[in-house]
Every structure is written in C-alpha cells, then in structure tokens.
C-alpha cells in the first residue's frame, strides 16, 4: 500500500487540492472558468494536504484574521476552512494528522486562536476545539409581526443599487464595531468570495442612515419564491443573510424596513446571536419563533497563556485552573485567572479542565458551574465553579456572524 504523506501545499498544486475539497464535500471539481474565478482566493499558503504518492487525497487550510475576545481586544486567529478527505481515504487518521500539523504551524506563526465552523459536531473536539458560540435560527410571521410603538425610530433606510451594494458593506461592517466577543475581521478575499457572489446572485442590500446623515447598519437579504399552483397565496419568504448594526437604533431601523417588505409572508433569520433583540422589538413576541439552536464557532486556544491574558474578566475572586493540552503540550499548566488578568502559577489548582472545555468557556458562552456539573471540569475547591462563573461571564452573548 502506498504511504500517505502530510505536507504543506506547494505553489502549482492549488487546483488539484481544491478538487479534493470539492469532492469531499460531494461536489464536482471546477472547470477552467470556475477555477479562474476561485484561484485568486485559494492560495497555497497556510494549506496542508495529504498525498497518496503524488495524488492529493486530503486537505486543510486557514486564513489569517483577528477575533474579538471579551473585554474588546482582538487576537491573531487562524480561520480554518476547507477540511476534507476523499472517500476511500477516510477513517485512517488523515484529518487528525492534517489538523495536528496545522495547529503546530499556527503556533509557529504566532496565532493565539484557531476557529472553524464544523460540518458535524463530533469531529473537532478531540483536536481541542470547543463550541465557543451558538446561534439561534428565527422565523418571523411577517403579517403578525408589528414593531412595538416604543421601538426607537431615528434615521432612514434605503435600498442600494447593485454597485453600492458591492462597495458600501465592508466599511459598514468595520464600523459596526467589536462589541461582541467572537466577531472576526473579514479579509478582502472574504468579501470578494462571499459578498460579491451573493450580490451578483440577486441578494439585496439596505442601509440605515442615522439622523446626522452617516450610514451605520446594513442588511443583505434575498427573497425566495414559495408560491405554487397548489398554494398560490402562500406569500414569499425573505431570508436575512447578513445583518450588522452598531447600535439598537440602527438595528431597529433595519427591522422596521424588513417587516415592511410587501408580499412577504415569512422572514427567515438563520444564525443570529442567542440574545438577538428581535423578539423584544415586536408587539407580539410570538410572531418570532426560535426554530433551532446550533453550535456555531468552534474555537481552539493555540497559545493558552496569551489567550487567557488577552481577554478581560469581570470583578471577582481569582481562581487557579489546571489546563491540559495533548496536541500542544507547551500550553499544559496552571493559570491564575482574575480581574487583573491571567498568568502561569505554581499554586494548587481549584479547577481541572482540558483545552476543549476551556475553549467553551473562553468567549463566555457556557457557565463553568454547568460544565462542572456535567463532569467536564474537575473541581478540587467546591467554591471555585461559582467564582469562575463570575470571572468568565460577559455582558452579551458571543457571536461570530461570519460564515467561512
Ligand atoms: C472546518 C470545515 O472545513 S468543516 C468540513 C469538514 N469536511 C467534511 O465534512 C467533508 C466530508 N468529510 C470528510 O472529508 C472526512 O470524513 C473528515 C475530514 C470529516 C474526517 O476525515 P478522516 O480522515 O476520516 O478523519 P480521521 O480518520 O482523522 O478521524 C479521526 C477520528 O474522528 C472520527 N471522525 C472523523 N470524522 C467523523 C465524522 N464525520 N463523524 C464522526 N466521527 C468522525 C473518526 O472516527 C476518528 O475516530 P477514532 O480516532 O476514534 O477512530
């Protein structure tokens, strides 16, 4: 049997390894025209592939970005995408080898975190990734949903023409700010690959302008035809694909606009933060149903001391965590975490956890005491879970809001 080798992707191999990814995701490798559109955003750098002889059979990659952590700092993060192993080569440890190699590479490059969106929830925990954010999928009965009379009203919303729809949102996304932990910077290649494709595919963009005349929030959406011969009065569905607003007034303006779109019976809103304000904006909150809650961003602390030191902590009593990391053992150790920051210590541990569980706590999504109750955290000081709950809590739910 031919040896399976894992190594960095070399220049000139991009198209062949892209074909592996497409095949692993049940697609068809690109023809010349489609590859010409994709090539500029699919670079060899930061990609690792598995080869059977000279044939690529597995792949992983990442793009460099920064992710906002509690307290408002942002840290170097590898946004991992494009993980796939060809049918016929799966369950032989190739993904494990690829992702381990990738993690070591991230550590060498100085990435503090790695992050990904998982196709299945059973794959990445063993590599130290933990569910760091969850999202809600909302469905609005548009005809039953009216804004409350006290919902703020200031400024105006306008629909953009296609040229503006391409050019305005990147700056508005940046301006929407870093209030939420989990937000990432969107590189230029993200906008060219994702946003431009959507605008060219009949997605619309509406922008909120504040009373001083400054554009602030935007929404990108599309309208889906649902009517048929059998159900001619069903009404269309409007899908909210990307909505970012820097404040409640801009968000209220965008929602007033969406609720006013005629001929629409249902508004589908996938992937919102768990504390999305929409239900609280409505006179009848039941007009907005949460249809699903999913894991969203999976986080991997690549450099545990740097990650713990980068985030802020709420006022409280410091605790000592003992963290274990099987893939990157340099991170294994004890850390004293408190309102003044985090640093290594030799003090006895009060809580013991692995790096996957630490990732679940890191952005504030899960409570320490809950994860201790279900056996994911070892407790040597019974007072410590409540103390750590206090330190790790965040004023808002974390949310990424960017598919990659
Ligand atoms: C970030 C992203 O890109 S998400 C997209 C991920 N890609 C896909 O879903 C495409 C389709 N799937 C695939 O390409 C492959 O099945 C992969 C990449 C998910 C897994 O690749 P493999 O090389 O088979 O993984 P590997 O052999 O290293 O498996 C390691 C362990 O994870 C388990 N595992 C791997 N994939 C899965 C899965 N989908 N469901 C459950 N367990 C899984 C294996 O059973 C194995 O467990 P074991 O060590 O106890 O035997």
């Amino acid at each position: 049997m031919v040896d399976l080798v894992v190594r960095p992707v070399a220049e000139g191999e991009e198209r062949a390894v892209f074909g592996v990814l497409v095949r692993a995701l049940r697609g068809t490798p690109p023809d010349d025209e489609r590859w010409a559109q994709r090539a500029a955003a699919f670079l060899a750098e930061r990609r690792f592939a598995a080869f059977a002889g000279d044939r690529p059979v597995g792949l992983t990659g990442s793009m460099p970005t920064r992710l906002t952590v509690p307290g408002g700092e942002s840290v170097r993060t590898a946004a991992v995408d494009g993980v796939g192993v060809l049918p016929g080569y799966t369950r032989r440890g190739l993904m494990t080898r690829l992702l381990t190699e990738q993690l070591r590479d991230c550590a060498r490059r100085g990435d503090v975190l790695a992050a990904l969106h998982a196709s299945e929830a059973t794959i990445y925990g063993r590599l130290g990734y933990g569910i760091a954010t969850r999202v809600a999928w909302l469905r609005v009965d548009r005809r039953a949903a009216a804004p409350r009379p006290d919902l703020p009203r200031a400024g105006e919303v306008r629909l953009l023409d296609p040229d503006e729809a391409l050019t305005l949102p990147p700056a508005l996304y940046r301006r929407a700010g870093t209030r939420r932990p989990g937000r990432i910077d969107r590189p230029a290649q993200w906008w060219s690959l994702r946003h431009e494709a959507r605008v060219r595919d009949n997605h619309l963009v509406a922008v909120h302008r504040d009373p001083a005349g400054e554009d602030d929030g935007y929404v990108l959406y599309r309208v889906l035809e649902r009517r048929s011969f059998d159900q001619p009065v069903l009404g269309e569905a409007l899908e909210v694909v990307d909505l970012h607003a820097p404040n409640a007034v801009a968000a209220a303006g965008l929602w007033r606009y969406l609720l006013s779109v005629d001929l629409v019976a249902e508004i589908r809103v996938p992937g919102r933060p768990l504390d999305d304000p929409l239900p609280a904006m409505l006179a009848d909150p039941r007009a907005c149903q949460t249809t699903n809650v999913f894991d969203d961003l999976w986080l991997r602390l690549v450099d545990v001391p740097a990650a713990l030191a980068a985030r802020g902590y709420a006022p409280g009593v410091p605790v000592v965590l003992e963290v274990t990391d099987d893939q990157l053992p340099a991170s294994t150790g004890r850390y004293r975490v408190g309102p003044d920051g985090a640093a290594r210590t030799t003090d006895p541990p009060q809580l013991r956890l692995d790096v996957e569980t630490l990732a679940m706590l890191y952005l504030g999504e899960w409570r320490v005491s809950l994860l201790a109750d279900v056996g994911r955290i070892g407790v040597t000081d019974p007072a410590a879970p409540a103390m750590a709950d206090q330190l790790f809590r965040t004023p808002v739910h974390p949310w990424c809001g960017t598919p990659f």
Side-chain angles (χ1 to χ4, degrees):
M1 203 201 284
V2 63
D3 279 350
L4 298 170
V5 174
V6 168
R7 63 162 172 82
V9 172
E11 281 188 30
E13 292 176 331
E14 295 90 343
R15 186 170 178 176
V17 298
F18 184 68
V20 170
L21 180 62
V22 176
R23 283 261 187 248
L25 293 166
R26 321 268 177 271
T28 316
D31 58 19
D32 289 348
E33 189 187 337
R34 206 171 130 235
W35 176 245
Q37 291 162 357
R38 280 305 304 259
F42 193 84
L43 306 178
E45 206 199 345
R46 299 185 71 114
R47 291 192 197 278
F48 290 85
F51 290 84
D54 58 2
R55 204 165 83 84
V57 297
L59 180 69
T60 188
S62 67
M63 62 175 183
T65 183
R66 299 187 73 84
L67 184 140
T68 303
V69 302
E73 292 292 317
S74 72
V75 300
R76 278 185 61 141
T77 298
V80 173
D81 63 352
V83 179
V85 172
L86 283 185
Y89 290 90
T90 53
R91 309 304 180 265
R92 298 195 210 173
L94 279 185
M95 180 206 63
T96 305
R97 286 170 63 188
L98 285 161
L99 266 67
T100 304
E101 205 47 57
Q102 181 178 53
L103 279 176
R104 291 185 187 134
D105 182 60
C106 290
R108 281 192 295 270
R109 288 173 186 270
D111 293 331
V112 176
L113 304 171
L116 56 81
H117 298 282
S119 58
E120 294 182 81
T122 46
I123 302 177
Y124 298 103
R126 71 194 73 218
L127 290 148
Y129 287 86
I131 298 170
T133 75
R134 289 177 293 169
V135 284
W137 286 39
L138 310 174
R139 173 177 284 141
V140 181
D141 177 348
R142 213 265 315 173
R143 288 172 180 142
R148 284 172 56 88
D150 49 7
L151 187 67
R153 181 195 287 274
E156 284 179 0
V157 175
R158 72 186 191 285
L159 190 60
L160 300 185
D161 66 36
D163 284 344
E164 281 184 311
L166 286 176
T167 54
L168 283 191
L172 296 179
Y173 177 81
R174 276 195 299 278
R175 221 173 292 155
T178 57
R179 198 171 74 95
R180 280 202 191 264
R183 176 194 191 277
I184 63 163
D185 290 354
R186 292 177 171 178
Q189 75 196 67
W190 187 94
W191 288 101
S192 57
L193 206 62
R194 301 274 182 159
H195 181 76
E196 287 184 26
R198 287 165 172 166
V199 172
R200 295 192 202 292
D201 185 31
N202 294 323
H203 289 51
L204 301 169
V205 177
V207 163
H208 181 263
R209 177 166 283 182
D210 73 15
E214 283 284 318
D215 291 339
D216 44 17
Y218 73 93
V219 57
L220 176 136
Y221 66 94
R222 63 176 171 165
V223 176
L224 305 163
E225 181 60 81
R226 294 190 311 158
R227 287 172 292 189
S228 66
F229 184 79
D230 292 327
Q231 294 180 299
V233 292
L234 202 53
E236 292 161 339
L238 186 156
E239 185 186 6
V240 174
V241 177
D242 196 28
L243 186 156
H244 291 274
N247 56 54
V249 174
L254 291 169
W255 272 110
R256 276 185 197 284
Y257 168 86
L258 291 166
L259 294 170
S260 76
V261 178
D262 283 334
L263 308 180
V264 166
E266 174 183 295
I267 304 181
R268 299 174 186 170
V269 203
R272 297 303 297 172
L274 292 192
D275 54 359
D276 193 282
L278 177 58
M281 293 180 185
L282 303 177
D284 175 359
R286 286 192 193 170
C288 175
Q289 300 282 343
T290 298
T291 57
N292 285 298
V293 173
F294 284 123
D295 57 281
D296 186 44
L297 196 73
W298 289 67
L299 210 61
R300 197 344 168 154
L301 278 66
V302 176
D303 181 338
V304 169
L308 285 176
R311 68 155 280 176
Y313 299 90
V317 181
V319 292
V320 176
L321 311 177
E322 187 170 83
V323 180
T324 46
D325 186 338
D326 292 338
Q327 284 84 24
L328 299 172
S331 286
T332 293
R334 293 179 191 167
Y335 301 89
R336 184 182 174 82
V337 176
D340 297 331
R344 285 191 188 266
T345 179
T346 52
D347 290 352
Q350 292 159 289
L351 299 169
R352 291 197 168 99
L353 66 171
D354 60 24
V355 75
E356 177 194 354
T357 308
L358 184 60
M360 294 172 75
L361 302 174
Y362 185 70
L363 296 179
E365 179 69 78
W366 301 85
R367 282 189 308 119
V368 178
S369 50
L370 183 148
L371 297 183
D373 284 349
V374 299
R376 298 187 72 138
I377 297 177
V379 178
T380 53
D381 172 357
M387 286 151 55
D389 279 346
Q390 175 67 19
L391 294 170
F392 277 83
R393 77 187 159 86
T394 53
V396 289
H397 267 281
W399 182 55
C400 177
T402 299
F404 56 84

